[in-house]
Amino acid sequence: MFYKFIQTIDRFRPFLKAKAHCDVPCGIYDPITAQINALTAVRMMDLMNGLAEGDEKSRVDFHNSISRYIAVKEEHAEKAKHEIRVIWGDFIKDAHVEKYPELPALVHKIMQFGSKSRQTADRDAGLAFVDAINQFAEIFWAIKDIKIKRAKAPYAPALEMVYPDL
Amino acid sequence: MLKIIKVTGNSLSPFFLPGDYVLVSSYRPGYKKLHAGTVVVFQHTEFGRLIKRVHTNFPGTENMKVAGSHANSISSHKLDLIPYADLIGKVIFHIKQPRTSD
C-alpha cells in the first residue's frame, strides 16, 4: 500500500535514482522482454479501441478502464525502449555494428516507434514497434549464432514474433 | 535531511530489488563512521550515484570500502575506496515493492 503510494508520487515527480548495478556482465540479455512489452502496448491499443467502439462511453467504468489501458501502454512501451537500450549499450559492440550496419538506424527507429506508441493509440505504430523489435531480435540471435523461428504469440494480439529455435 | 531514492540494478539483490525505494538520511562530514553492513548512497566519479553496503572503514583515513550482495555486483576492488565526502547518505528505511513470494 505504502509502496504504491510512493510509486504514484514517483510517476508524477520522479525521485532520484541510485544504481545497484552489476558491472561484471551477467551475460543475460534477451530481446524477448522488449518484444513482450511492445506486444503489450499493441494489446492495450486493441482494448482501448474495442472499448471506444462500445456504447457506454459516459460510464465511469469506461473512463476507469481507458485510463488503466493508457497507463499500461505507456509503461510497457517505455520498458520495451529501455530493454533495447540496455542491449544496445551493454551487449552490442563495434564489431556487431560493422557486421550489421543497419543496427543504429534500427535502434533509432525502435525508439521512435516506441514514442509514437506512447503518444498515440495508433495500432500501425504499435505494429511497426513490434516489427522493428523483431528485426532487432533477429540480428541479436544471429550475433549469438542461434537459429530463430517465427511464430505467432500464443496470446492476444497474437502477432508474429521472433524466438530463438533452441 | 531526508530523501527518497529509487533503486535500480540488482547488485543488492535479493534484499533490495530494482524498483524498491529507500529513505536516505544525509550524511555530514564529521559524523561518526558508519558500521559495516550499513547501506549507503554515494556519488561515484565513474559509475554515478550508487547504492552499496559499507564493507570496511579504511584505517586512518576518511575512506571506506563498499560492496554489493549479488555475485555480479561491481567489485569493491573496482570501485576503489569511497571517500566519506562522496556520501549522499545512509539508508534508514526500505520501501519494498510487493515480492511475488509475499
Side-chain angles (χ1 to χ4, degrees), chain A residues 4-15 71 75, chain B residues 21:
Chain A
K4 286 274 175 205
F5 174 67
I6 296 292
Q7 193 182 36
T8 305
I9 297 173
D10 188 33
R11 274 199 193 123
F12 293 101
R13 225 187 138 86
F15 296 117
E75 183 186 344
Chain B
Y21 297 92

Side-chain angles (χ1 to χ4, degrees), chain A residues 3 7 10 15-19, chain B residues 4-8 18-22 51:
Chain A
Y3 177 84
Q7 193 182 36
D10 188 33
F15 296 117
L16 292 175
K17 292 188 176 76
K19 289 174 279 188
Chain B
I4 293 177
I5 292 182
K6 186 175 188 177
V7 177
T8 64
D20 284 359
Y21 297 92
V22 289
I51 176 167

Side-chain angles (χ1 to χ4, degrees), chain B residues 77-93:
Chain B
H77 177 72
K78 181 153 189 171
L79 280 177
D80 210 356
L81 294 172
I82 306 299
Y84 265 78
D86 290 347
L87 264 185
I88 292 170
K90 70 171 182 175
V91 171
I92 58 169
F93 188 65

Side-chain angles (χ1 to χ4, degrees), chain A residues 57-70:
Chain A
K57 292 192 260 301
S58 59
R59 288 187 55 183
V60 172
D61 282 352
F62 168 86
H63 296 286
N64 183 61
S65 295
I66 284 285
S67 303
R68 296 188 69 202
Y69 297 154
I70 293 169

Side-chain angles (χ1 to χ4, degrees), chain A residues 18-20, chain B residues 5 7 11-12 16 22-27 32-44 48-57 64-68 79 82-84 86-93:
Chain A
K19 289 174 279 188
Chain B
I5 292 182
V7 177
S11 118
L12 288 169
F16 293 80
V22 289
L23 187 62
V24 173
S25 164
S26 299
Y27 182 87
K32 62 181 180 184
K33 296 276 175 68
L34 298 171
H35 295 294
T38 305
V39 180
V40 291
V41 177
F42 58 94
Q43 195 66 34
H44 190 272
R49 195 180 304 113
L50 295 178
I51 176 167
K52 295 280 169 184
R53 276 185 200 283
V54 176
H55 185 257
T56 44
N57 284 298
M64 61 184 161
K65 271 194 173 293
V66 293
L79 280 177
I82 306 299
Y84 265 78
D86 290 347
L87 264 185
I88 292 170
K90 70 171 182 175
V91 171
I92 58 169
F93 188 65

Side-chain angles (χ1 to χ4, degrees), chain A residues 38 42 45 106 109-114 116-117 122-136 159:
Chain A
V42 175
M45 289 170 181
L106 178 61
K109 210 161 74 171
I110 291 170
M111 297 302 126
Q112 290 184 314
F113 287 138
K116 188 89 185 284
S117 298
D122 177 2
R123 193 173 200 268
D124 287 342
L127 294 179
F129 190 34
V130 172
D131 184 53
I133 294 178
N134 272 333
Q135 289 175 42
F136 184 87
L159 301 178

Side-chain angles (χ1 to χ4, degrees), chain A residues 82-116:
Chain A
H82 171 77
E83 292 294 332
I84 295 298
R85 283 196 297 265
V86 169
I87 296 176
W88 173 245
D90 295 356
F91 173 78
I92 303 287
K93 303 288 183 287
D94 289 348
H96 303 143
V97 179
E98 273 171 34
K99 191 168 179 190
Y100 300 97
E102 67 273 36
L103 259 174
L106 178 61
V107 170
H108 187 235
K109 210 161 74 171
I110 291 170
M111 297 302 126
Q112 290 184 314
F113 287 138
S115 298
K116 188 89 185 284

